[in-house]
Amino acid sequence: MNRTESFSGSLFREPLRTEDWGPQFFAYYYKQWDDYQMSYHTHNSTEIMYIISGICRVDVMMADGSSEQAVLKKGQFILLDAGVPHRLLVQDGVPCRMLNVEFGFTPAAPGQPSIRRLALEEEAVHTFLTHTAPYLVLPDPEEVYYTMKSLVLELDQRGMMERRKGEKQKETDIPAAVNPGVIPPHERTLHREARNLTTPDQGTLVRTLFIQLLVRMARLRGEMERSMLDQTEVYVKRAVEFMYQNMDRSIQMKHIAAAVNLHPGYLHRLFRNYTQRTPTDYLTMLRMEKAKMLLQQTDIPISEISDYVGVGSRQYFHMLFKKYTGMTPVQFRGSIERTQWRYPEELE
């Protein structure tokens, strides 16, 4: 059983794409943090943290036990899937104000909009739901924020109406439904922290706003991935160009990364994902192909070839070349000479 099957609050569960489910919200709150360090924790719900102002850091523990850090600024948000260990860290003197919502899923009643139906109509949502990720950090042109604000306001108002309804029933001891009346305007803008929301049906408007939120997040992710792919191609091409121009000398990963203005670890990850090779493997391939060309087309002594391809040790060069071609440089040049040799015409 994988993680998305173990946690019913996961956004990437297959039943969301094959059965009719809708959202159910468990918590929402506006909160300002300062000098705060949270312990790693998990919960069976998907969480969105939207940064309204300031800076914060979210550490996420990956399935292999490693951790990744996301530094979030105003106008960014992080989506954390259910069951993913994470923690929040905020520096002293650099407060961070955020809007959070936590949600899971409940079966949709007949006639209600469902996530499955939305995914059938909106390709970006289908792609979003089928590409599992423990977390996502996305920039927002304020569309997600306004949708979340409307969603929280509606949840807040419904929560107050439910509380008023409960108080009214207590006062009159009437078990039947009681009209809670209209919430005063000054109370509508008071966003409270609300946890353990238990109302099964949180209203048509809540479901509609969630669908809008899901579509906006899916499209933002699609746009980001297309942009990243384009940018990755640029970085990889620049890195390969640097290798071509400098493979005759000793170069390391830090030199390649500096040439394209990226952190070595980040470039390594981008390069490997894009080419299916590490930068070191790719550089070795370029050097061995150049060595083959020099052995084929020039009379440069074999003992000097290693210097032409930036491998300082002749012994190491011979090892790399044999691993790459299956032959030693001597055997390779010998095979080329045999295929090129012909009897003189007068002896044929």
Side-chain angles (χ1 to χ4, degrees):
M1 179 179 292
N2 62 35
R3 187 183 59 76
T4 57
E5 291 173 339
S6 303
F7 292 90
S8 59
S10 170
L11 189 57
F12 303 105
R13 293 171 59 231
E14 185 178 357
L16 295 183
R17 305 187 299 273
T18 58
E19 304 169 11
D20 289 322
W21 292 74
Q24 181 174 4
F25 286 83
F26 301 118
Y28 61 85
Y29 55 90
Y30 283 83
K31 195 169 183 68
Q32 180 154 314
W33 308 88
D34 192 4
D35 189 20
Y36 183 80
Q37 182 168 329
M38 184 182 292
S39 300
Y40 273 107
H41 66 286
T42 62
H43 38 72
N44 187 17
S45 58
T46 297
E47 180 175 8
I48 300 174
M49 298 182 184
Y50 191 105
I51 311 307
I52 300 171
S53 63
I55 301 174
C56 70
R57 192 182 97 194
V58 178
D59 292 346
V60 182
M61 189 175 295
M62 309 302 283
D64 62 2
S66 64
S67 64
E68 295 189 5
Q69 298 177 354
V71 178
L72 304 173
K73 301 177 182 179
K74 176 183 177 181
Q76 292 181 308
F77 66 95
I78 184 170
L79 182 144
L80 292 152
D81 195 34
V84 175
H86 61 278
R87 65 177 181 176
L88 172 68
L89 297 97
V90 182
Q91 290 184 359
D92 184 18
V94 187
C96 177
R97 180 167 174 75
M98 64 175 62
L99 170 59
N100 279 40
V101 293
E102 297 176 16
F103 59 90
F105 305 96
T106 187
Q112 288 182 347
S114 70
I115 296 166
R116 179 186 68 83
R117 293 172 186 167
L118 176 63
L120 289 174
E121 297 175 6
E122 183 73 27
E123 184 178 354
V125 173
H126 180 269
T127 302
F128 181 80
L129 296 176
T130 53
H131 286 65
T132 304
Y135 74 98
L136 292 168
V137 175
L138 295 169
D140 175 43
E142 296 191 333
E143 296 176 352
V144 168
Y145 178 56
Y146 288 127
T147 304
M148 284 182 66
K149 278 182 64 176
S150 298
L151 176 63
V152 168
L153 178 60
E154 178 63 17
L155 286 167
D156 207 30
Q157 291 192 62
R158 291 186 66 84
M160 285 188 284
M161 290 168 68
E162 289 295 331
R163 286 190 292 275
R164 285 168 173 260
K165 177 180 175 179
E167 292 168 1
K168 187 69 175 179
Q169 288 178 340
K170 275 187 177 180
E171 291 172 5
T172 60
D173 198 24
I174 300 175
V178 176
N179 186 344
V182 178
I183 298 174
H186 70 278
E187 287 193 33
R188 299 178 194 177
T189 58
L190 299 177
H191 299 291
R192 281 169 284 275
E193 178 172 331
R195 294 185 176 274
N196 302 317
L197 306 180
T198 56
T199 308
D201 183 2
Q202 294 171 338
T204 300
L205 184 52
V206 167
R207 291 190 296 271
T208 302
L209 288 167
F210 175 79
I211 286 175
Q212 185 178 352
L213 178 63
L214 187 55
V215 169
R216 293 192 184 283
M217 289 193 299
R219 291 178 178 174
L220 279 175
R221 184 184 186 183
E223 291 169 6
M224 184 190 72
E225 289 181 344
R226 286 189 293 272
S227 175
M228 285 181 61
L229 184 61
D230 293 342
Q231 190 62 46
T232 296
E233 184 177 2
V234 171
Y235 285 129
V236 170
K237 284 183 175 179
R238 288 178 182 172
V240 170
E241 183 179 352
F242 179 82
M243 292 179 195
Y244 266 119
Q245 294 173 355
N246 295 275
M247 64 178 165
D248 61 314
R249 64 189 184 95
S250 176
I251 54 176
Q252 300 174 13
M253 188 65 210
K254 63 181 180 181
H255 301 134
I256 303 171
V260 298
N261 297 315
L262 287 180
H263 185 278
Y266 184 58
L267 176 61
H268 185 279
R269 187 162 60 249
L270 285 182
F271 198 100
R272 184 176 57 187
N273 290 340
Y274 190 83
T275 67
Q276 306 305 310
R277 292 174 180 266
T278 66
T280 301
D281 288 343
Y282 199 92
L283 179 59
T284 298
M285 178 193 72
L286 294 180
R287 284 171 164 163
M288 295 305 101
E289 287 297 326
K290 183 175 181 179
K292 285 170 60 179
M293 181 274 292
L294 294 173
L295 289 167
Q296 286 175 330
Q297 301 179 19
T298 74
D299 295 326
I300 296 172
I302 292 175
S303 61
E304 297 178 14
I305 295 290
S306 61
D307 294 330
Y308 280 83
V309 296
V311 181
S313 167
R314 295 175 185 175
Q315 183 178 3
Y316 184 55
F317 166 70
H318 279 241
M319 184 197 73
L320 287 177
F321 192 88
K322 186 171 184 180
K323 183 178 180 181
Y324 186 76
T325 65
M327 292 183 282
T328 66
V330 173
Q331 292 170 334
F332 185 83
R333 177 166 276 179
S335 69
I336 297 300
E337 291 173 350
R338 284 195 299 275
T339 58
Q340 292 178 343
W341 187 84
R342 294 287 185 275
Y343 281 98
E345 288 184 5
E346 63 270 19
L347 296 179
E348 289 184 7

